[in-house]
């Protein structure tokens, strides 16, 4: 998609959300159609679980409805949506911790879903599995920024808006997350080999 | 370009976000620095591998769930907008809101009048053989009236805190400090408001109101936990100030965490630093020293 097309879509999304805000809640259906897949992929990468991801996507759109008055016409819709998504994910983690008792938050998340899938058709299926595990082993803040940068097609200034930090901080965080992912991957690969 | 700078730009380059001349500077550095060049190759391979993770697609049930949720919401809105006869509790709370004076002085006078009526009823009502002595009966009646006043205020506060209008929720926060300081329901509602209300002014007012419940360990813990959940620097500062005034030493870990977080606003950071000093140098409360 060209820059011009991206800007046009972003403007349309904003206008749709303003319509929802004004009471035409049926327009949320259009936003759902446009964005639920990318949100689903975002949550699958973060949580490693399809069912959890589906639940979280629903929660995001529910909160868009509930907090529609907080959307401002000057703001970027995508960044606003991902801010909600991020909070939904963090709230989900907090609920998991409360239900399971205190403990390291990332240890309580479900392991990546196993089972048959397209990866079995790849020659590097084991590598894919190791990479998934390595990604899932990262602290949630690092996993978040890596997923936003690598998979969600967000620009650095959009990621900065989502994470409420400076663009410079995003650049550093992405680099450090990638570095740590590499270390985790090779550690797991070494364990597998031995 | 130094190695540290080059490494920070590697991820940016992989994401296709590095513009010239920075991209040219990075290329030049990689051509001259073996260590960075090796790191670049490793990161690039990793980045490419991430791209080969299979794409995930949601099932068709997601659309159905969303449609059901939206339909239920629209049905609920339609029902709420119909003119309907309010229930007894709603009638009572609406009547109470109309009758209860707005000025504090008049509120006090009204409360004293209610108590006076209650005492009068207790004193002049004829006791039967089963009732306790008159003095104890008057006290019981007084306690009952106080309880009713409290319950009514609680009802008003809780009802207003759930309203759609932000100004009504603000009114609810104002009402919340008129209940007993040990009212756990209103306290829970206030903490929920701090953590989830979509209006920053309502959240700020709720933080302020929580000072009233400052003796409660639940309130103090709730304030500390809210600190890590807030995105708004204004609300973060309000929380830090409240925790600081309450001299809550058990909140020190949360304050240190926000002080050390890389994305914390500078104003928030300064406030947190000052709070650390103030709380650390204060006398511990009796319950603090039990840990």
């Amino acid at each position: 998609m060209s820059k011009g097309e991206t800007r046009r879509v972003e403007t349309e999304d904003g206008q749709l959300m303003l319509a929802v805000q004004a009471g035409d809640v049926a327009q949320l259906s259009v936003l759902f159609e446009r964005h639920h897949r990318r949100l689903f992929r975002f949550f699958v990468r973060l949580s490693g679980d399809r069912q959890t991801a589906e639940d979280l996507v629903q929660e995001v759109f529910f909160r868009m409805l509930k907090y529609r008055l907080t959307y401002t016409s000057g703001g970027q819709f995508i960044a606003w949506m991902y801010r909600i998504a991020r909070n939904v994910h963090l709230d989900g983690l907090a609920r998991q911790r409360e239900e399971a008792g205190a403990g390291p938050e990332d240890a309580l998340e479900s392991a990546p879903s196993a089972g048959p899938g397209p990866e079995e058709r790849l020659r590097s299926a084991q590598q894919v599995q190791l990479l998934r595990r390595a990604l899932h082993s990262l602290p949630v803040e690092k996993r978040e920024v890596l997923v936003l940068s690598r998979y969600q097609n967000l620009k650095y200034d959009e990621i900065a808006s989502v994470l409420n930090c400076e663009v410079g901080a995003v650049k550093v965080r992405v680099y450090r997350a990638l570095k740590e992912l590499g270390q985790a991957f090779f550690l797991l690969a070494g364990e597998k080999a031995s | 370009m130094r190695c540290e700078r080059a490494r920070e730009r590697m991820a940016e380059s992989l994401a296709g976000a590095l513009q010239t001349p920075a991209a040219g500077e990075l290329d030049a550095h990689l051509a001259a620095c073996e260590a960075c060049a090796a790191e670049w190759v490793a990161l690039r391979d990793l980045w490419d591998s991430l791209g080969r993770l299979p794409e995930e697609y949601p099932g068709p049930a997601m659309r159905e769930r969303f449609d059901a949720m939206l339909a239920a919401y629209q049905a609920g809105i339609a029902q709420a907008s119909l003119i309907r006869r309010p229930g007894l509790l709603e009638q009572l709370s609406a009547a109470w809101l109309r009758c209860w004076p707005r000025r504090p002085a008049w509120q006090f006078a009204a409360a004293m009048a209610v108590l006076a009526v209650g005492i009068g009823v207790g004193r002049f009502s004829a006791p039967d053989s089963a009732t306790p002595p008159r003095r104890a009966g008057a006290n019981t009646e007084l306690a009952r009236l106080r309880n009713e006043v409290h319950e009514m205020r609680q009802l008003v506060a809780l009802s207003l805190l759930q309203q759609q209008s932000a100004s009504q929720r603000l009114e609810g926060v104002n009402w919340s400090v008129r209940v007993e300081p040990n009212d756990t329901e209103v306290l829970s509602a206030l903490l929920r408001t701090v953590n989830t209300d979509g209006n920053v002014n309502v959240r700020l007012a709720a933080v302020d109101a929580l000072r009233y419940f400052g003796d409660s360990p639940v309130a103090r813990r709730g304030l500390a936990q809210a600190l890590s959940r807030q995105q708004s620097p204004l609300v973060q500062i309000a929380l830090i100030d409240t925790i600081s005034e309450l001299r809550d030493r058990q909140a020190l870990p949360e304050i240190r965490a926000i002080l050390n977080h890389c994305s914390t606003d500078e104003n928030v950071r300064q406030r947190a630093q000052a709070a650390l000093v103030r709380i650390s140098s204060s006398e511990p409360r009796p319950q603090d020293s039990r840990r």
Side-chain angles (χ1 to χ4, degrees):
Chain A
M1 194 186 281
S2 68
K3 268 189 184 173
E5 282 172 344
T6 306
R7 265 200 297 276
R8 182 180 58 81
V9 169
E10 174 70 36
T11 306
E12 283 178 6
D13 286 343
Q15 286 169 350
L16 285 168
M17 194 59 221
L18 288 174
V20 171
Q21 195 178 73
D24 186 6
V25 296
Q27 299 303 323
L28 192 67
S29 189
V30 180
L31 289 169
F32 179 86
E33 188 51 40
R34 286 186 177 188
H35 298 294
H36 78 279
R37 291 174 200 86
R38 71 194 292 186
L39 279 175
F40 175 78
R41 287 193 280 268
F42 174 65
F43 287 129
V44 165
R45 298 276 182 235
L46 284 185
S47 70
D49 182 73
R50 290 179 58 88
Q51 186 57 57
T52 301
E54 289 192 1
D55 293 343
L56 294 180
V57 170
Q58 297 294 336
E59 181 64 22
V60 167
F61 284 94
F62 177 73
R63 287 194 190 187
M64 276 191 202
L65 208 48
K66 188 176 178 187
Y67 298 117
R68 60 188 184 276
L69 296 178
T70 67
Y71 178 72
T72 55
S73 58
Q76 295 173 314
F77 172 78
I78 291 293
W80 182 72
M81 182 181 78
Y82 275 106
R83 276 198 294 276
I84 294 176
R86 191 169 169 255
N87 287 336
V88 162
H89 180 240
L90 292 175
D91 290 348
L93 285 178
R95 259 197 312 278
Q96 264 189 317
R97 279 202 302 278
E98 278 172 22
E99 285 163 13
E105 60 178 56
D106 299 297
L108 297 175
E109 286 192 40
S110 54
S113 301
E119 70 270 20
E120 289 185 325
R121 297 194 288 275
L122 298 174
R123 271 176 281 141
S124 56
Q126 283 188 340
Q127 295 290 316
V128 167
Q129 196 69 335
L130 283 176
L131 190 55
R132 271 191 173 147
R133 282 178 59 196
L135 182 60
H136 202 71
S137 73
L138 294 183
V140 65
E141 298 84 9
K142 290 200 164 102
R143 202 179 330 141
E144 225 173 36
V145 74
L146 204 49
V147 170
L148 285 170
S149 170
R150 185 64 181 95
Y151 296 110
Q152 304 307 120
N153 296 323
L154 294 190
K155 297 190 288 292
Y156 276 18
D157 61 340
E158 288 174 320
I159 298 175
S161 178
V162 172
L163 301 181
N164 192 30
C165 66
E166 299 296 322
V167 171
V170 173
K171 294 177 186 177
V172 171
R173 283 197 208 181
V174 172
Y175 164 74
R176 287 179 182 164
L178 203 50
K179 195 110 164 75
E180 193 167 323
L181 176 69
Q183 288 163 355
F185 176 76
F186 286 112
L187 201 62
L188 287 170
E191 283 176 7
K192 185 86 183 159
S194 63
Chain B
M1 180 185 283
R2 293 167 62 176
C3 291
E4 190 183 330
R5 192 89 169 126
R7 285 178 199 139
E8 288 175 5
R9 289 202 163 153
M10 286 182 192
E12 199 180 349
S13 176
L14 288 168
L18 195 63
Q19 310 288 337
T20 51
E25 288 170 13
L26 177 62
D27 287 342
H29 181 85
L30 293 177
C33 177
E34 272 188 40
C36 285
E39 182 157 0
W40 164 255
V41 168
L43 289 180
R44 186 196 58 204
D45 289 348
L46 190 58
W47 189 262
D48 289 346
S49 297
L50 284 172
R52 286 195 290 273
L53 285 182
E55 202 65 276
E56 297 277 354
Y57 295 94
M62 270 194 66
R63 180 78 218 200
E64 291 165 11
R65 272 179 74 180
F66 170 80
D67 288 342
M69 184 270 288
L70 191 62
Y73 181 84
Q74 287 172 306
I77 293 292
Q79 192 175 32
S81 68
L82 290 175
I83 298 172
R84 62 183 177 88
R85 191 163 182 277
L88 177 61
L89 272 178
E90 287 167 318
Q91 289 181 55
L92 282 174
S93 70
W96 185 261
L97 280 170
R98 281 195 298 275
C99 295
W100 194 250
R102 290 193 171 270
R103 291 186 181 174
W106 284 109
Q107 288 172 3
F108 180 75
M112 288 302 104
V114 168
L115 284 176
V117 167
I119 291 168
V121 166
R123 182 167 292 173
F124 293 109
S125 63
D128 61 29
S129 56
T131 58
R134 182 168 289 175
R135 185 180 175 85
N139 288 341
T140 304
E141 194 61 26
L142 197 58
R144 193 176 64 78
L145 281 168
R146 278 192 184 134
N147 197 48
E148 283 177 5
V149 168
H150 165 73
E151 282 180 356
M152 195 56 66
R153 286 177 177 170
Q154 183 196 67
L155 176 67
V156 170
L158 291 175
S159 300
L160 286 170
L161 282 171
Q162 290 170 26
Q163 296 304 307
Q164 276 206 333
S165 152
S167 58
Q168 284 182 307
R169 296 199 303 277
L170 271 172
E171 189 73 30
V173 172
N174 289 337
W175 271 88
S176 68
V177 299
R178 297 172 195 178
V179 302
E180 298 295 325
N182 60 355
D183 188 312
T184 54
E185 276 198 65
V186 172
L187 171 57
S188 295
L190 271 181
L191 286 171
R192 229 176 4 257
T193 300
V194 171
N195 288 322
T196 63
D197 198 285
N199 185 293
V200 70
N201 292 324
V202 176
R203 296 206 303 276
L204 283 170
V207 171
D208 205 41
L210 281 166
R211 285 188 179 134
Y212 176 71
F213 298 87
D215 283 339
S216 158
V218 173
R220 295 157 79 86
R221 193 87 292 267
L223 283 164
Q225 287 173 342
L227 197 49
S228 60
R229 293 179 182 172
Q230 290 296 326
Q231 300 287 325
S232 160
L234 282 176
V235 181
Q236 287 175 327
I237 287 173
L239 283 165
I240 291 169
D241 285 349
T242 302
I243 291 168
S244 177
E245 280 178 36
L246 294 173
R247 303 285 203 274
D248 184 11
R249 297 169 80 86
Q250 294 186 14
L252 286 174
E254 282 84 359
I255 294 183
R256 283 195 196 98
I258 203 155
L259 186 63
N260 295 328
H261 200 282
C262 66
S263 67
T264 297
D265 179 271
E266 190 50 42
N267 294 311
V268 176
R269 203 185 297 277
Q270 287 172 9
R271 223 42 168 246
Q273 183 62 53
L276 265 186
V277 171
R278 188 180 184 191
I279 296 173
S280 300
S281 60
S282 63
E283 286 292 319
R285 290 163 59 98
Q287 51 264 43
D288 289 346
S289 59
R290 274 205 293 271
R291 290 195 73 167

